[in-house]
DNA sequence: ATGCAGTGGGAACGCGCTTTCCCAACGCTC
DNA sequence: GAGCGTTGGGAAAGCGCGTTCCCACTGCAT
């Protein structure tokens, strides 16, 4: 038994397919009440489910919104995904998921797949890359998005503009003030920590990471501090762990050089470009016998929900991730506020909040 | 400029749409090399993207797999989602996401939506409910799934069978031995903890939670211990926190009754039905001035990745969440191993691993 | 009674693609 | 060179639905 079709329903109700269509999907023209009732009963009896593919084909609107993330299991992305999913639900749309690991080539492919499915909108979360080796991939991605927009699609980008994507109708940006917030974090940390700073950044060219690193540096500079050394590692927990091991080694030699003065304020404050890296670094330092915040201070970025109960409480910058997902989706798909018109709009303002917790709080 | 169509490509290449179709999607019949080249160039020139909707309509196979979860931001589900996404990608399919909060009515709706989109397969993660008030919802969900299967759909269920879903072709189950593993955990804990046990369970009727609670009790019984009291709370961090507050109160009165004997082994071991509840409970106990494992032991379930760096290390049962997602998807969509045939199959075996860490380790 | 606007319903086309069926041209054997 | 099987390509019929256009019929004014 294949799924029953509109024609079958119409036949059972003794009407034409046109009429059946009219009653079953609220067209402009309302058939008479008697007919409507017959059709509805027939549909019920047959367990009729309209074929969304056919509907989409006929109306050329699919009710789909595509979501592109690096990794859905990453709490950063899953939080955004929740926001996207929320709005999609409100708007009676379904979300189509693609994970790309941040590879522009894969992202291009995902955009093409969404375009093929005639998704009404595409939301791209996850940092762009500005690495030279990604330049071509980015260009292709931009071209693909251009085409998608030109064909009437809407795209919402979280974070920063697609490198090379031109100002186009239907292209929306939810800007995250990574740089400013990182600067603010640096300023606050500089106020209470007189010692050195070290930054654990993601791979060079990952724009979100670069922005945060740059912001942190400029915050330090504004506070009259020397620039911090930057360690590069992969933008996840494992990367943080690796960097943490390196830092542990460094702490050890420093401790040997300058014999232990118990109770002294730790000489090092670490800033990791995101929370999971911070957690990884913390784990590494602990594994090497150091304690936070006794032996080193550490701060992250994002304020991942699952990590809020971490001990010591991780100093970080709270980002309204779910809201960011909501806004990005609304800007593309919504018709109400947030669906700002026009070229390459900057979308509604997102702001974060520096949140200092125990991990950077030195107490004698 | 609307997206270009196959017909346009064909015209530009000077061939019929049929031929264009044959070259652009690897049909059984291969046109001559000269023609193929012309068509391919035409497609390239026009930036042709096949309309997946139309393809799906014509072939009646959409290349979609639907995923139903309670909440995509919950690390339990996002880990599973990663597995699902993984094999979908391997199989050149896209995943369609629906979040339902566990409400059977919403799940039924999601299934209908997937059916409407003619998804090739549906994966349902997230616990079923056996509550009486959900009985009708469950029945409707089962009916919807039945219909979907009868129309040739495949469904993969994570955890436990849908209440009321009949044995059907295309209905696959990835069983998670919650009960056995909980019993094993209880046995190991009972071996080192002579005191009382308390269980923080999810709402009664949530099958996953019920299974774990029951398993834990039977493990205690097998070890000759009395049954543990069961506290009910919502199946998330907030629920764990609430329960934790209640337990803190209890610890406080106990401490007053029996004056502090420093260094004594804690009298209470808490088992929370999942990790995030355990974390919530821990947070509450800490907020009330208690320490883990000094004042109480605690264990969870799932071994959520993000929580592995938690301190003290949370004793738990490791579940291969990503693998579970993979298996569930493979069983429905794969053609290789894992795609077991036949009625209501029990699928490949999933197993977990009791993992004891500091949170249940009492050291004087 | 004839004209008109207005209404409820059906016929038919198109959405973009796949696939079956059919036809022309080719190479081969006897 | 007639008959045959084989190949490469086109024509056309759907897939299931939305929608436009058209027709028959009603109720009203002329």
């Amino acid at each position: 038994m294949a799924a029953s079709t509109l024609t079958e329903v119409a036949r059972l109700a003794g009407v034409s397919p046109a009429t059946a269509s009219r009653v079953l999907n609220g067209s402009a023209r309302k058939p008479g009440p008697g007919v409507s009732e017959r059709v509805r009963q027939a549909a019920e009896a047959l367990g009729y489910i309209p074929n969304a593919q056919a509907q989409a084909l006929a109306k050329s609107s699919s009710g789909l919104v595509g979501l592109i993330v690096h990794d859905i299991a990453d709490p950063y992305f899953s939080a955004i995904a929740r926001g996207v999913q929320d709005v999609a639900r409100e708007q009676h749309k379904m979300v189509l998921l693609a994970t790309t690991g941040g590879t522009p080539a894969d992202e291009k492919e995902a955009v093409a797949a969404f375009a093929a499915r005639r998704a009404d909108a595409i939301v791209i979360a996850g940092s762009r890359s500005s690495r030279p080796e990604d330049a071509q991939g980015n260009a292709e991605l931009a071209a693909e998005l251009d085409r998608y927009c030109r064909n009437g699609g809407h795209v919402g980008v979280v974070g920063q503009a697609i490198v090379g994507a031109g100002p186009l109708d239907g292209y929306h940006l939810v800007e995250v003030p990574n740089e400013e917030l990182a600067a603010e974090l640096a300023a606050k940390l500089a106020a209470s920590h007189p010692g050195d700073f070290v930054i654990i950044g993601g791979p060079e060219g990952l724009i979100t990471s670069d922005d945060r690193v740059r912001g942190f540096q400029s915050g330090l500079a504004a506070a009259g501090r020397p620039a911090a050394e930057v360690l590069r590692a992969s933008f996840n927990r494992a990367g943080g762990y690796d960097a943490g091991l390196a830092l542990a080694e460094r702490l050890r030699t420093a401790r040997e050089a300058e014999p232990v003065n118990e109770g002294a304020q730790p000489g090092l404050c670490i800033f990791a470009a995101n929370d999971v890296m911070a957690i990884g670094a913390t784990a590494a330092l602990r594994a090497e016998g150091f304690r936070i915040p006794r032996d080193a201070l550490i701060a992250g970025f994002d304020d991942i929900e699952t990590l809020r109960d971490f001990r010591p409480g991780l100093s970080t910058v709270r980002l309204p991730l779910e809201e960011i997902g909501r806004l990005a989706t609304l800007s593309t798909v919504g018709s109400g506020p947030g669906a700002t018109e026009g070229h390459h709009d900057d979308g509604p303002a997102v702001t974060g909040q520096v949140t200092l917790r125990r991990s950077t709080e030195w107490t004698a």
Side-chain angles (χ1 to χ4, degrees), chain A:
Chain A
M1 162 192 168
S4 48
T5 75
L6 185 61
T7 313
E8 290 173 21
V9 174
R11 186 164 33 219
L12 181 62
V15 300
S16 80
T19 306
S21 170
R22 288 196 259 261
V23 23
L24 290 179
N25 64 13
S27 122
R29 286 182 48 179
K30 291 283 175 197
V35 180
S36 297
E37 192 48 32
R38 280 219 314 282
V39 171
R40 239 180 288 274
Q41 284 186 8
E44 180 66 25
L46 262 49
Y48 170 69
I49 298 183
N51 185 328
Q53 313 270 6
Q55 289 189 155
L57 187 56
K59 307 195 285 199
S60 56
S61 155
S62 60
L64 253 28
V65 8
L67 171 60
I68 298 181
V69 297
H70 289 187
D71 172 9
I72 190 61
D74 183 319
Y76 173 85
F77 291 109
S78 62
I80 292 179
R82 183 200 261 161
V84 173
Q85 169 71 40
D86 254 27
V87 175
R89 206 180 154 76
E90 285 168 11
Q91 307 272 343
H92 302 287
K93 298 191 179 300
M94 302 222 64
V95 5
L96 217 40
L97 185 64
T99 66
T100 63
T103 318
D106 286 354
E107 296 183 328
K108 178 210 155 202
E109 207 174 321
V111 170
F114 290 157
R117 295 232 144 64
R118 298 299 183 264
D120 297 336
I122 296 181
V123 174
I124 305 187
S127 182
R128 311 294 88 227
S129 154
S130 64
R131 264 169 299 192
E133 66 264 37
D134 283 334
Q136 193 197 336
N138 275 323
E140 289 177 9
L141 172 60
E144 198 69 48
L145 282 171
D146 256 37
R147 180 155 67 198
Y148 175 72
C149 284
R150 239 190 294 280
N151 289 352
H154 294 242
V155 3
V157 185
V158 170
Q160 59 274 139
I162 306 285
V163 181
L168 237 56
D169 272 8
Y171 185 77
H172 310 262
L173 178 61
V174 174
E175 219 152 355
V176 178
N178 283 309
E179 192 165 347
E180 293 78 352
L181 289 168
E184 195 182 325
L185 175 62
K188 295 213 171 147
L189 291 178
S192 67
H193 174 71
D196 290 343
F197 285 90
V198 171
I199 300 177
I200 305 179
E204 200 150 6
L206 197 68
I207 298 188
T208 298
S209 169
D210 287 353
D211 284 353
R212 292 175 182 178
V213 170
R214 188 172 345 103
F216 198 85
Q217 296 281 33
S218 73
L220 288 181
R225 296 306 195 76
E229 183 188 355
V230 180
L231 267 47
R232 298 290 176 180
S234 64
F235 205 52
N236 51 32
R237 193 249 176 211
Y241 195 91
D242 293 345
L245 288 181
L247 288 174
E249 183 60 30
R250 191 170 308 196
L251 284 178
R252 215 173 291 118
T253 62
R255 180 183 283 178
E256 280 163 13
E258 181 181 344
V260 211
N261 51 343
E262 275 299 335
Q265 192 160 351
L268 193 64
C269 179
I270 303 166
F271 168 57
N274 70 30
D275 277 2
V276 289
M277 292 182 87
I279 294 301
T282 303
L285 288 170
R286 279 176 174 160
E288 296 295 311
F290 295 97
R291 283 169 59 182
I292 310 290
R294 194 194 60 183
D295 301 319
L297 309 181
I298 188 161
F301 207 107
D302 287 342
D303 199 26
I304 295 298
E305 197 175 334
T306 321
L307 261 22
R308 288 191 194 148
D309 290 315
F310 201 77
R311 287 285 293 246
L314 182 64
S315 289
T316 188
V317 176
R318 169 168 296 192
L319 245 34
L321 294 172
E322 191 174 335
E323 183 66 12
I324 288 173
R326 293 183 58 87
L327 290 174
T329 314
L330 267 179
S331 71
T332 63
V333 91
S335 43
T340 36
E341 292 293 337
H343 294 303
H344 203 290
D345 77 82
D346 293 329
V350 164
T351 184
Q353 196 174 345
V354 173
T355 306
L356 262 27
R357 300 203 182 98
R358 279 282 323 282
S359 72
T360 54
E361 192 175 301
W362 179 75
T363 51

